[in-house]
Amino acid sequence: MKLYKMSALRPGMVVGQDVTDPSGNIILNKFSKLSIDNISYLSFLGIPSVYIDDSFSEATAMDEILTPEIRQCAVRTVRDFFRKAEGLPIPETEERLERTVSLVVEEVLNNKDVAHNLAEVRTYDEYTYTHSVNVGVLAGVIGGKCGVGVDMMRELVMAGFLHDVGKVFVDLGIIHAPRRLTEEERVQMMAHPRLGYEYLTQNYNFSETVNRAVFEHHEWYNGYGYPNSKAGENLLPHSRILKAADVYDAMTSTRPYHPAYLPSEVLEYIMGRSGMEFDPRIVDVMAKTFCVYPVGAEIELSDGRHGIVIENHAGYVMRPTVKTLSNGTVIDLKADRTARSLTIVKLMM
């Protein structure tokens, strides 16, 4: 399979992997043949790329972190929790969140190659609910790679699901403003971690660790964040992980105020702000485990050749195995000594 951006899709192409909407609902089954209407609908949904079945890269296989069923369950559960915060009469949201978090943690723990698939977490123009699910999954994955226990993973996933609940109490015009905020609007937006913390502590029995991580998820490692300008070890480890997961997902998403950046660009940004915005230990884990060149994606090598990524290697995320488009040569950028001087210079998406 090969990953094609929307502009390259043509009627008659065969879908190589189920295509889901942001909530995890399957909208095109594997092996479906694309039509003009299909392509228009995918474009309308904001889906930037689709895996297409082709003979050249037919051995390529992709795995998702979450099954579509669990992703649907997570998005529905988070959506209901936020809607209850808006005043709708929705029962048992806390118990459902606990059950859903356990399902997500189990999926993350069972996926041995989860680090190789992180680029696939960010595939759509998400709304608040799906962003929250993504942040929870990413936080759990980062925590797992940092060696935390299962209990802390559950707290990380829960905090990710809940981190933006305070935005329910901020004017929607500010949340979705396609421009730079005024100073007054910026102050209102910066209140959302405190508003979320207050809502959770006053209405639910989540652990203080989860509540505090929600409160601190916009703090910077060097103390230049908000709302309390805490720094370093004064911040919970949960908060530092949540900060990195939130920024990664937000920057790889299409937002009203910026287009989606490539995973490689976002990882470079995070690495460049290590010790400032982000905990260096967390950045180091992300740099070693986050997949920035998705399996099936077309890349350009430093010698001008183009190829398809067919395998990623844990700890060597910048050195995948690729198959050249010109003659089908397989190059293991990690292990092949003759390829030491080759680098990937561009992701063709």
Side-chain angles (χ1 to χ4, degrees):
M1 284 176 281
K2 180 181 176 183
L3 193 59
Y4 281 75
K5 59 185 178 181
M6 281 301 304
S7 60
L9 294 180
R10 298 291 182 269
M13 286 182 169
V14 177
V15 175
Q17 184 164 302
D18 290 344
V19 180
T20 58
D21 67 13
S23 298
N25 303 301
I26 295 176
I27 52 178
L28 273 180
N29 291 306
K30 183 178 180 179
F31 301 135
S32 298
K33 189 172 289 188
L34 286 176
S35 66
I36 292 176
D37 289 342
N38 293 152
I39 296 170
S40 297
Y41 185 55
L42 295 174
S43 180
F44 170 76
L45 288 178
I47 297 174
S49 55
V50 174
Y51 281 106
I52 296 297
D53 188 53
D54 66 354
S55 58
F56 179 81
S57 51
E58 60 186 357
T60 303
M62 277 64 64
D63 297 308
E64 299 289 347
I65 295 176
L66 300 183
T67 64
E69 294 77 16
I70 291 179
R71 175 167 286 280
Q72 289 174 31
C73 174
V75 171
R76 284 196 299 266
T77 302
V78 171
R79 180 178 60 227
D80 285 350
F81 188 90
F82 277 52
R83 287 178 174 173
K84 186 171 185 178
E86 293 170 350
L88 296 179
I90 299 173
E92 297 184 359
T93 51
E94 186 171 354
E95 293 81 0
R96 286 173 57 197
L97 271 172
E98 296 284 359
R99 292 193 298 268
T100 304
V101 165
S102 294
L103 288 174
V104 170
V105 170
E106 184 178 356
E107 286 288 290
V108 170
L109 291 173
N110 286 339
N111 191 333
K112 303 301 182 185
D113 295 321
V114 69
H116 300 172
N117 306 317
L118 284 172
E120 294 312 297
V121 171
R122 263 301 329 135
T123 309
Y124 307 102
D125 179 8
E126 308 276 357
Y127 297 97
T128 298
Y129 316 126
T130 43
H131 167 67
S132 297
V133 170
N134 286 345
V135 171
V137 174
L138 286 170
V141 168
I142 295 170
K145 293 300 177 181
C146 289
V148 308
V150 175
D151 288 344
M152 184 169 171
M153 285 186 69
R154 288 196 179 96
E155 291 175 330
L156 285 167
V157 174
M158 181 67 80
F161 282 4
L162 302 176
H163 77 285
D164 269 347
V165 69
K167 288 185 176 180
V168 167
F169 309 107
V170 178
D171 186 89
L172 276 177
I174 296 174
I175 298 292
H176 298 299
R179 54 170 172 78
R180 184 180 294 275
L181 299 179
T182 66
E183 182 59 25
E184 181 180 351
E185 290 171 335
R186 193 175 70 86
V187 170
Q188 291 183 54
M189 176 66 88
M190 290 171 62
H192 82 267
R194 175 182 57 80
L195 294 171
Y197 175 82
E198 291 173 352
Y199 173 73
L200 295 176
T201 55
Q202 292 169 14
N203 293 279
Y204 293 95
N205 295 309
F206 298 115
S207 73
E208 178 57 20
T209 300
V210 168
N211 295 336
R212 186 175 154 192
V214 169
F215 185 72
E216 294 179 346
H217 77 273
H218 276 294
E219 298 284 6
W220 285 28
Y221 188 72
N222 66 0
Y224 279 71
Y226 64 89
N228 280 347
S229 300
K230 286 188 176 182
E233 300 302 315
N234 290 321
L235 295 167
L236 283 178
H238 304 63
S239 308
R240 288 174 258 153
I241 290 173
L242 196 61
K243 166 69 176 175
D246 183 34
V247 169
Y248 181 87
D249 189 71
M251 290 186 68
T252 51
S253 307
T254 297
R255 298 291 185 180
Y257 41 86
H258 72 69
Y261 297 102
L262 294 174
S264 54
E265 295 172 327
V266 177
L267 190 55
E268 287 284 355
Y269 171 87
I270 290 173
M271 291 167 64
R273 299 174 80 83
S274 176
M276 298 166 50
E277 192 171 350
F278 307 102
D279 183 334
R281 291 164 294 185
I282 294 168
V283 173
D284 185 57
V285 167
M286 294 173 70
K288 290 177 178 177
T289 60
F290 269 39
C291 167
V292 295
Y293 300 116
V295 169
E298 182 179 345
I299 53 86
E300 181 181 341
L301 294 168
S302 54
D303 64 1
R305 286 183 292 175
H306 285 217
I308 302 297
V309 176
I310 61 174
E311 185 181 1
N312 279 287
H313 308 293
Y316 298 87
V317 297
M318 302 294 188
R319 308 293 292 174
T321 297
V322 302
K323 186 177 182 181
T324 62
L325 291 175
S326 56
N327 57 13
T329 299
V330 175
I331 306 172
D332 185 339
L333 294 175
K334 176 180 76 74
D336 188 345
R337 292 182 177 274
T338 64
R340 291 288 172 85
S341 63
L342 286 177
T343 58
I344 294 175
V345 297
K346 190 174 184 181
L347 180 63
M348 309 302 293
M349 293 179 66

Short mmCIF file of all heavy atoms in Angstrom, two decimals, residues 210-252:
data_model
loop_
_atom_site.label_atom_id
_atom_site.label_comp_id
_atom_site.label_asym_id
_atom_site.label_seq_id
_atom_site.Cartn_x
_atom_site.Cartn_y
_atom_site.Cartn_z
N VAL A 210 -4.76 13.74 38.34
CA VAL A 210 -5.42 14.01 37.06
C VAL A 210 -5.85 15.48 37.00
O VAL A 210 -5.61 16.17 36.00
CB VAL A 210 -6.63 13.08 36.86
CG1 VAL A 210 -7.50 13.54 35.68
CG2 VAL A 210 -6.17 11.64 36.63
N ASN A 211 -6.50 15.95 38.05
CA ASN A 211 -6.97 17.34 38.07
C ASN A 211 -5.82 18.32 37.93
O ASN A 211 -5.90 19.31 37.20
CB ASN A 211 -7.73 17.62 39.36
CG ASN A 211 -9.02 16.81 39.47
OD1 ASN A 211 -9.58 16.39 38.46
ND2 ASN A 211 -9.47 16.59 40.69
N ARG A 212 -4.72 18.04 38.63
CA ARG A 212 -3.58 18.95 38.58
C ARG A 212 -2.91 18.94 37.21
O ARG A 212 -2.45 19.97 36.72
CB ARG A 212 -2.58 18.58 39.67
CG ARG A 212 -1.44 19.57 39.78
CD ARG A 212 -0.54 19.24 40.96
NE ARG A 212 0.82 19.74 40.74
CZ ARG A 212 1.86 19.42 41.48
NH1 ARG A 212 1.72 18.59 42.50
NH2 ARG A 212 3.05 19.92 41.20
N ALA A 213 -2.86 17.78 36.56
CA ALA A 213 -2.29 17.71 35.21
C ALA A 213 -3.11 18.55 34.25
O ALA A 213 -2.57 19.23 33.36
CB ALA A 213 -2.22 16.26 34.74
N VAL A 214 -4.44 18.52 34.39
CA VAL A 214 -5.31 19.38 33.58
C VAL A 214 -4.97 20.85 33.83
O VAL A 214 -4.87 21.66 32.91
CB VAL A 214 -6.79 19.10 33.90
CG1 VAL A 214 -7.70 20.15 33.26
CG2 VAL A 214 -7.18 17.70 33.42
N PHE A 215 -4.76 21.20 35.11
CA PHE A 215 -4.45 22.58 35.49
C PHE A 215 -3.11 23.04 34.93
O PHE A 215 -2.93 24.20 34.55
CB PHE A 215 -4.44 22.68 37.01
CG PHE A 215 -4.26 24.07 37.54
CD1 PHE A 215 -5.28 25.01 37.44
CD2 PHE A 215 -3.08 24.46 38.15
CE1 PHE A 215 -5.12 26.30 37.93
CE2 PHE A 215 -2.90 25.75 38.64
CZ PHE A 215 -3.94 26.67 38.54
N GLU A 216 -2.14 22.11 34.80
CA GLU A 216 -0.77 22.48 34.46
C GLU A 216 -0.38 22.22 33.01
O GLU A 216 0.77 22.42 32.64
CB GLU A 216 0.22 21.72 35.36
CG GLU A 216 0.14 22.10 36.83
CD GLU A 216 1.11 21.31 37.70
OE1 GLU A 216 1.66 20.28 37.22
OE2 GLU A 216 1.32 21.71 38.86
N HIS A 217 -1.32 21.81 32.15
CA HIS A 217 -0.91 21.32 30.83
C HIS A 217 -0.40 22.41 29.88
O HIS A 217 0.11 22.11 28.81
CB HIS A 217 -2.03 20.51 30.17
CG HIS A 217 -3.16 21.31 29.58
ND1 HIS A 217 -4.26 21.72 30.30
CD2 HIS A 217 -3.37 21.76 28.31
CE1 HIS A 217 -5.09 22.39 29.53
NE2 HIS A 217 -4.58 22.43 28.30
N HIS A 218 -0.52 23.68 30.29
CA HIS A 218 0.07 24.76 29.48
C HIS A 218 1.28 25.41 30.17
O HIS A 218 1.76 26.45 29.72
CB HIS A 218 -0.98 25.83 29.17
CG HIS A 218 -1.83 25.50 27.97
ND1 HIS A 218 -1.31 25.41 26.69
CD2 HIS A 218 -3.15 25.21 27.87
CE1 HIS A 218 -2.29 25.09 25.85
NE2 HIS A 218 -3.41 24.95 26.54
N GLU A 219 1.77 24.78 31.23
CA GLU A 219 3.00 25.27 31.86
C GLU A 219 4.21 24.85 31.02
O GLU A 219 4.19 23.80 30.38
CB GLU A 219 3.13 24.70 33.28
CG GLU A 219 2.01 25.11 34.23
CD GLU A 219 2.12 26.54 34.73
OE1 GLU A 219 3.00 27.28 34.26
OE2 GLU A 219 1.30 26.92 35.61
N TRP A 220 5.25 25.66 31.03
CA TRP A 220 6.49 25.37 30.32
C TRP A 220 7.54 24.85 31.29
O TRP A 220 7.56 25.24 32.46
CB TRP A 220 7.02 26.62 29.63
CG TRP A 220 6.28 27.02 28.40
CD1 TRP A 220 4.97 26.79 28.10
CD2 TRP A 220 6.81 27.77 27.30
NE1 TRP A 220 4.64 27.33 26.89
CE2 TRP A 220 5.77 27.94 26.37
CE3 TRP A 220 8.06 28.30 27.02
CZ2 TRP A 220 5.94 28.62 25.17
CZ3 TRP A 220 8.24 28.98 25.82
CH2 TRP A 220 7.19 29.13 24.91
N TYR A 221 8.43 24.05 30.80
CA TYR A 221 9.49 23.48 31.62
C TYR A 221 10.37 24.58 32.22
O TYR A 221 10.89 24.44 33.32
CB TYR A 221 10.32 22.51 30.79
CG TYR A 221 11.33 21.73 31.59
CD1 TYR A 221 10.92 20.70 32.45
CD2 TYR A 221 12.70 22.00 31.49
CE1 TYR A 221 11.84 19.98 33.19
CE2 TYR A 221 13.62 21.28 32.23
CZ TYR A 221 13.19 20.27 33.08
OH TYR A 221 14.10 19.55 33.81
N ASN A 222 10.54 25.71 31.51
CA ASN A 222 11.39 26.79 32.00
C ASN A 222 10.63 27.84 32.82
O ASN A 222 11.20 28.86 33.22
CB ASN A 222 12.14 27.48 30.86
CG ASN A 222 11.20 28.21 29.89
OD1 ASN A 222 9.98 28.21 30.07
ND2 ASN A 222 11.76 28.81 28.85
N GLY A 223 9.34 27.60 33.05
CA GLY A 223 8.56 28.50 33.89
C GLY A 223 7.86 29.63 33.16
O GLY A 223 7.24 30.49 33.79
N TYR A 224 7.89 29.63 31.82
CA TYR A 224 7.29 30.72 31.06
C TYR A 224 5.85 30.41 30.61
O TYR A 224 5.29 31.17 29.82
CB TYR A 224 8.15 31.06 29.85
CG TYR A 224 9.32 31.96 30.19
CD1 TYR A 224 10.39 31.48 30.92
CD2 TYR A 224 9.34 33.29 29.80
CE1 TYR A 224 11.45 32.30 31.26
CE2 TYR A 224 10.40 34.13 30.12
CZ TYR A 224 11.46 33.62 30.86
OH TYR A 224 12.50 34.44 31.19
N GLY A 225 5.27 29.35 31.11
CA GLY A 225 3.91 29.00 30.71
C GLY A 225 2.87 29.61 31.64
O GLY A 225 3.14 30.56 32.38
N TYR A 226 1.65 29.06 31.58
CA TYR A 226 0.56 29.55 32.42
C TYR A 226 -0.27 28.37 32.90
O TYR A 226 -0.16 27.28 32.33
CB TYR A 226 -0.31 30.57 31.64
CG TYR A 226 -1.05 30.02 30.42
CD1 TYR A 226 -2.33 29.47 30.54
CD2 TYR A 226 -0.46 30.05 29.16
CE1 TYR A 226 -3.01 28.98 29.43
CE2 TYR A 226 -1.14 29.56 28.04
CZ TYR A 226 -2.40 29.02 28.19
OH TYR A 226 -3.07 28.53 27.08
N PRO A 227 -1.05 28.51 33.99
CA PRO A 227 -1.47 29.76 34.64
C PRO A 227 -0.58 30.23 35.79
O PRO A 227 -0.72 31.36 36.25
CB PRO A 227 -2.86 29.40 35.17
CG PRO A 227 -2.80 27.95 35.44
CD PRO A 227 -1.89 27.36 34.39
N ASN A 228 0.35 29.37 36.29
CA ASN A 228 1.09 29.74 37.50
C ASN A 228 2.59 29.86 37.30
O ASN A 228 3.33 30.01 38.28
CB ASN A 228 0.82 28.73 38.62
CG ASN A 228 -0.49 28.98 39.33
OD1 ASN A 228 -1.10 30.03 39.15
ND2 ASN A 228 -0.94 28.02 40.11
N SER A 229 3.08 29.77 36.06
CA SER A 229 4.51 29.90 35.76
C SER A 229 5.38 28.95 36.58
O SER A 229 6.47 29.30 37.04
CB SER A 229 4.98 31.35 35.99
OG SER A 229 4.26 32.24 35.15
N LYS A 230 4.90 27.73 36.76
CA LYS A 230 5.70 26.70 37.43
C LYS A 230 6.76 26.19 36.47
O LYS A 230 6.62 26.29 35.26
CB LYS A 230 4.82 25.55 37.90
CG LYS A 230 3.96 25.86 39.11
CD LYS A 230 3.28 24.59 39.60
CE LYS A 230 2.50 24.82 40.88
NZ LYS A 230 1.88 23.56 41.37
N ALA A 231 7.82 25.57 37.04
CA ALA A 231 8.92 25.11 36.20
C ALA A 231 9.49 23.80 36.70
O ALA A 231 9.36 23.45 37.88
CB ALA A 231 10.02 26.17 36.16
N GLY A 232 10.13 23.07 35.78
CA GLY A 232 10.94 21.90 36.11
C GLY A 232 10.24 20.88 36.98
O GLY A 232 9.11 20.47 36.71
N GLU A 233 10.92 20.47 38.06
CA GLU A 233 10.41 19.43 38.93
C GLU A 233 9.22 19.89 39.77
O GLU A 233 8.60 19.07 40.44
CB GLU A 233 11.53 18.92 39.84
CG GLU A 233 12.72 18.33 39.10
CD GLU A 233 12.33 17.16 38.21
OE1 GLU A 233 11.56 16.29 38.68
OE2 GLU A 233 12.80 17.12 37.06
N ASN A 234 8.91 21.18 39.74
CA ASN A 234 7.71 21.65 40.43
C ASN A 234 6.44 21.27 39.67
O ASN A 234 5.33 21.39 40.22
CB ASN A 234 7.76 23.16 40.63
CG ASN A 234 8.81 23.57 41.65
OD1 ASN A 234 8.98 22.90 42.67
ND2 ASN A 234 9.52 24.65 41.38
N LEU A 235 6.60 20.86 38.42
CA LEU A 235 5.48 20.38 37.62
C LEU A 235 5.37 18.86 37.75
O LEU A 235 6.40 18.17 37.79
CB LEU A 235 5.69 20.75 36.16
CG LEU A 235 5.68 22.24 35.81
CD1 LEU A 235 6.21 22.45 34.39
CD2 LEU A 235 4.27 22.79 35.94
N LEU A 236 4.16 18.37 37.80
CA LEU A 236 3.98 16.91 37.80
C LEU A 236 4.58 16.30 36.53
O LEU A 236 4.51 16.90 35.45
CB LEU A 236 2.49 16.57 37.83
CG LEU A 236 1.72 16.69 39.14
CD1 LEU A 236 0.26 16.34 38.88
CD2 LEU A 236 2.31 15.79 40.20
N PRO A 237 5.16 15.11 36.63
CA PRO A 237 5.59 14.40 35.41
C PRO A 237 4.43 14.25 34.42
O PRO A 237 4.62 14.37 33.20
CB PRO A 237 6.05 13.05 35.93
CG PRO A 237 6.40 13.28 37.36
CD PRO A 237 5.45 14.35 37.84
N HIS A 238 3.23 14.02 34.95
CA HIS A 238 2.03 13.90 34.11
C HIS A 238 1.84 15.17 33.28
O HIS A 238 1.52 15.12 32.08
CB HIS A 238 0.78 13.70 34.96
CG HIS A 238 0.83 12.53 35.90
ND1 HIS A 238 1.75 12.44 36.92
CD2 HIS A 238 0.05 11.42 35.97
CE1 HIS A 238 1.54 11.32 37.59
NE2 HIS A 238 0.52 10.68 37.04
N SER A 239 2.02 16.33 33.93
CA SER A 239 1.79 17.62 33.26
C SER A 239 2.80 17.83 32.15
O SER A 239 2.47 18.35 31.08
CB SER A 239 1.90 18.76 34.28
OG SER A 239 1.06 18.52 35.39
N ARG A 240 4.05 17.43 32.37
CA ARG A 240 5.10 17.60 31.37
C ARG A 240 4.85 16.69 30.16
O ARG A 240 5.08 17.09 29.02
CB ARG A 240 6.47 17.32 31.99
CG ARG A 240 6.92 18.42 32.95
CD ARG A 240 8.21 18.03 33.65
NE ARG A 240 7.96 17.58 35.01
CZ ARG A 240 8.74 16.73 35.67
NH1 ARG A 240 9.81 16.22 35.10
NH2 ARG A 240 8.47 16.39 36.90
N ILE A 241 4.38 15.48 30.41
CA ILE A 241 4.05 14.57 29.32
C ILE A 241 2.83 15.09 28.55
O ILE A 241 2.80 15.10 27.32
CB ILE A 241 3.79 13.15 29.85
CG1 ILE A 241 5.11 12.54 30.33
CG2 ILE A 241 3.14 12.27 28.78
CD1 ILE A 241 4.95 11.20 31.03
N LEU A 242 1.82 15.54 29.30
CA LEU A 242 0.59 16.05 28.68
C LEU A 242 0.88 17.26 27.81
O LEU A 242 0.31 17.42 26.72
CB LEU A 242 -0.42 16.40 29.77
CG LEU A 242 -1.87 16.61 29.36
CD1 LEU A 242 -2.44 15.34 28.75
CD2 LEU A 242 -2.71 17.03 30.57
N LYS A 243 1.78 18.13 28.27
CA LYS A 243 2.17 19.31 27.50
C LYS A 243 2.70 18.92 26.13
O LYS A 243 2.30 19.46 25.10
CB LYS A 243 3.23 20.09 28.29
CG LYS A 243 3.99 21.15 27.50
CD LYS A 243 3.11 22.32 27.13
CE LYS A 243 3.94 23.40 26.44
NZ LYS A 243 3.11 24.51 25.95
N ALA A 244 3.62 17.94 26.10
CA ALA A 244 4.22 17.51 24.84
C ALA A 244 3.19 16.85 23.93
O ALA A 244 3.16 17.11 22.72
CB ALA A 244 5.38 16.55 25.11
N ALA A 245 2.32 16.01 24.50
CA ALA A 245 1.29 15.34 23.69
C ALA A 245 0.32 16.34 23.10
O ALA A 245 -0.08 16.24 21.93
CB ALA A 245 0.55 14.32 24.56
N ASP A 246 -0.07 17.34 23.88
CA ASP A 246 -1.02 18.36 23.42
C ASP A 246 -0.44 19.17 22.27
O ASP A 246 -1.10 19.39 21.25
CB ASP A 246 -1.37 19.27 24.59
CG ASP A 246 -2.41 20.32 24.23
OD1 ASP A 246 -3.30 20.03 23.41
OD2 ASP A 246 -2.33 21.44 24.77
N VAL A 247 0.81 19.61 22.41
CA VAL A 247 1.44 20.40 21.36
C VAL A 247 1.63 19.58 20.09
O VAL A 247 1.37 20.06 18.98
CB VAL A 247 2.79 20.98 21.84
CG1 VAL A 247 3.57 21.59 20.68
CG2 VAL A 247 2.54 22.03 22.93
N TYR A 248 2.05 18.33 20.24
CA TYR A 248 2.26 17.48 19.07
C TYR A 248 0.96 17.33 18.28
O TYR A 248 0.93 17.51 17.06
CB TYR A 248 2.78 16.10 19.48
CG TYR A 248 3.04 15.19 18.31
CD1 TYR A 248 4.27 15.20 17.66
CD2 TYR A 248 2.06 14.33 17.83
CE1 TYR A 248 4.51 14.38 16.57
CE2 TYR A 248 2.29 13.50 16.75
CZ TYR A 248 3.52 13.52 16.12
OH TYR A 248 3.74 12.71 15.03
N ASP A 249 -0.13 17.00 18.97
CA ASP A 249 -1.39 16.79 18.26
C ASP A 249 -1.95 18.09 17.70
O ASP A 249 -2.46 18.12 16.59
CB ASP A 249 -2.43 16.13 19.17
CG ASP A 249 -3.66 15.71 18.38
OD1 ASP A 249 -3.56 14.75 17.60
OD2 ASP A 249 -4.70 16.38 18.50
N ALA A 250 -1.83 19.19 18.46
CA ALA A 250 -2.36 20.48 17.99
C ALA A 250 -1.63 20.94 16.74
O ALA A 250 -2.26 21.45 15.79
CB ALA A 250 -2.24 21.52 19.09
N MET A 251 -0.31 20.78 16.70
CA MET A 251 0.45 21.27 15.55
C MET A 251 0.28 20.38 14.32
O MET A 251 0.40 20.86 13.19
CB MET A 251 1.92 21.40 15.92
CG MET A 251 2.21 22.53 16.89
SD MET A 251 3.98 22.79 17.18
CE MET A 251 4.50 23.42 15.56
N THR A 252 0.01 19.10 14.52
CA THR A 252 -0.21 18.22 13.37
C THR A 252 -1.67 18.18 12.96
O THR A 252 -2.06 17.38 12.11
CB THR A 252 0.30 16.79 13.67
OG1 THR A 252 -0.24 16.33 14.90
CG2 THR A 252 1.81 16.74 13.72
#
